[in-house]
């Protein structure tokens, strides 16, 4: 936890909000993903669920320097 603010390039309070938002998004997405898996099948929903997980870091690399609290590297 103490290493997170320098990694994000932000204050401790903002890093705590980032963790809270991540946990909240996960707690909302889990039952929704389970319901969609029940409706459409787990094999079909797995790539749909993994898509944003894989696309996130790639999107971060394409941001110009100075955006999203990082160096753009």
């Amino acid at each position: 936890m103490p290493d997170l603010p320098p990694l994000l390039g932000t204050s401790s309070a903002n890093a705590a909000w980032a963790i809270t938002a991540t946990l909240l998004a996960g707690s909302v997405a889990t039952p929704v993903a389970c319901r969609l898996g029940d409706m459409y099948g787990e094999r079909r929903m797995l790539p749909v669920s993994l898509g944003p997980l894989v696309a996130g870091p790639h999107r971060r690399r394409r941001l110009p320097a100075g955006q999203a609290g990082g160096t753009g590297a």
Side-chain angles (χ1 to χ4, degrees):
M1 181 74 179
D3 296 334
L4 194 58
L7 287 173
L8 295 175
T10 188
S11 68
S12 296
N14 287 340
W17 277 109
I19 292 171
T20 302
T22 302
L23 292 173
L24 181 62
S27 66
V28 169
T30 300
V32 171
C34 290
R35 177 65 178 147
L36 290 174
D38 289 343
M39 290 172 55
Y40 300 110
E42 290 89 358
R43 288 181 183 248
R44 190 178 298 172
M45 291 307 300
L46 183 63
V48 172
S49 299
L50 289 177
L53 182 69
V54 171
H58 295 291
R59 183 181 181 278
R60 171 64 181 97
R61 282 190 202 148
R62 290 184 292 173
L63 289 175
Q67 287 190 1
T71 61

